Amino acid sequence: MSKITAPDGDDASRPPRVVALGGGHGLHASLSALRRVTTDVTAIVTVADDGGSSGRLREELGVLPPGDLRMALAALCGDDEWGHTWSQVLQHRFRSEGDLHGHAVGNLLIVALWELLGDSVAGLDWVGQLLGAHGRVLPMSSVPLEISAEVSGIDPREPEALTTVRGQVACASTSGRVRSVSLIPEDPPASPQAVKAVREADWVVFGPGSWFTSVLPHLLVPELAHALVTTRAKRVVALNLSPQKGETEGFRPETYLEVLREHAPKLGVDVVLADTGTVEDTAPLTSVVGELGGRLELADLSRGDGTPRHDSDKLAAALERILTN
């Protein structure tokens, strides 16, 4: 797939600057696609994970949770032998009966560099150089965050009653339905490099990913949210292929956009990308997209293997069409 150049009016010799927001598997999918489309990709990653290896390192050392940052770096590795090898090394988890069990090599490498350099962004840049990453990875905030969600349906006797659930893992795995999310601390500091990347971008891509725990949190960091609303960049929202139990159970395609608008009423959207197989009725989705000021793009994006995951090649082709129009 050929790389595209900057939009009209910019230096045609440079690639478009694209910022991708999210975390976990959804951001991994968008980065795996975007690095095939442009050579100027910056991932801005949520830092609220409190489970697994990341949660243990966060609790023990007081660092940013490295797991989603690691996954983003792995997604930006190249398709050559060097890239494949380092991606596997970064994602490798130890299996043992001791304290190392479950830790990802990449998490330990990232935290080691943070301790040596005393700078989270510099540490990630060093890992990126080692991997030959096709882009840059930044945390959305300079401090570890906690997600708090208002959830309904936990008590079957009072299905509309709201319960406050705290922690990313708890919010993502709740038996109820998430209605809204907030961050603790309430007004966290944004990563200055992340704000700068958004302001200088040509395109900003939201999603796919866990909607309440990976995508929306970026809009709850005040300085970053202001940059996302006021940037000259065009904004793309890539919708998920299926709802997630608890977090987005029962969501229709347009529901993701309605929730996005509730959390960021001033945010405009230029393009919404959705999978043809998940949109049964285009009318309500097209209506909400129009209310946000954008246009709807439909494409076959699924792997087609029964899993609710995007195919990197198909997603890359769809994003290339969008970024060149």
Side-chain angles (χ1 to χ4, degrees), residues 173-321:
S173 59
T174 179
S175 60
R177 179 173 176 179
V178 177
R179 298 295 182 177
S180 65
V181 289
S182 58
L183 293 177
I184 303 169
E186 188 173 344
D187 296 314
S191 164
Q193 295 89 340
V195 172
K196 183 174 185 289
V198 169
R199 293 201 180 281
E200 295 179 351
D202 299 310
W203 291 87
V204 175
V205 179
F206 295 83
S210 300
W211 213 244
F212 286 102
T213 56
S214 291
V215 178
L216 293 181
H218 294 81
L219 296 162
L220 304 177
V221 179
E223 192 177 2
L224 181 58
H226 180 70
L228 289 167
V229 168
T230 59
T231 180
R232 69 183 181 89
K234 293 184 177 181
R235 304 168 191 86
V236 180
V237 177
L239 298 181
N240 292 342
L241 298 181
S242 69
Q244 291 176 267
K245 184 176 181 180
E247 188 163 334
T248 54
E249 190 167 4
F251 269 34
R252 303 176 305 276
E254 59 271 18
T255 312
Y256 294 93
L257 302 177
E258 292 166 350
V259 170
L260 179 68
R261 182 171 53 190
E262 289 170 6
H263 284 78
K266 296 181 179 180
L267 183 74
V269 173
D270 294 279
V271 183
V272 173
L273 176 62
D275 176 61
T276 51
T278 63
V279 181
E280 296 179 359
D281 183 0
T282 60
L285 178 57
T286 301
S287 175
V288 176
V289 172
E291 292 170 7
L292 292 173
R295 73 176 194 273
L296 175 63
E297 291 282 339
L298 293 173
D300 175 17
L301 303 172
S302 172
R303 289 185 180 181
D305 59 0
T307 65
R309 295 198 177 177
H310 289 74
D311 179 275
S312 295
D313 291 332
K314 294 178 181 178
L315 184 57
L319 288 170
E320 183 175 20
R321 289 194 298 273

Side-chain angles (χ1 to χ4, degrees), residues 22-25 46-51 54 58 65 68 140 145-149 165-174 178 181-183 210 212-215 217 247:
H25 293 288
T46 53
V47 286
D49 191 6
D50 59 355
S54 286
R58 171 179 177 167
D68 285 349
M140 74 174 185
L145 303 175
E146 184 178 13
I147 291 178
S148 177
V165 175
R166 289 180 59 166
Q168 181 171 332
V169 172
C171 294
S173 59
T174 179
V178 177
V181 289
S182 58
L183 293 177
S210 300
F212 286 102
T213 56
S214 291
V215 178
E247 188 163 334

Side-chain angles (χ1 to χ4, degrees), residues 18 20 29-39 41 205 316 319 323:
V18 181
S30 63
L31 293 175
S32 298
L34 284 168
R35 67 175 174 77
R36 305 177 190 199
V37 176
T38 178
T39 56
V41 182
V205 179
L319 288 170
L323 270 59

Side-chain angles (χ1 to χ4, degrees), residues 91-109:
Q91 301 284 53
H92 177 75
R93 289 186 185 272
F94 293 104
R95 295 288 179 261
S96 73
E97 299 298 324
D99 292 340
L100 273 177
H101 178 74
H103 274 305
V105 172
N107 288 357
L108 301 178
L109 175 62

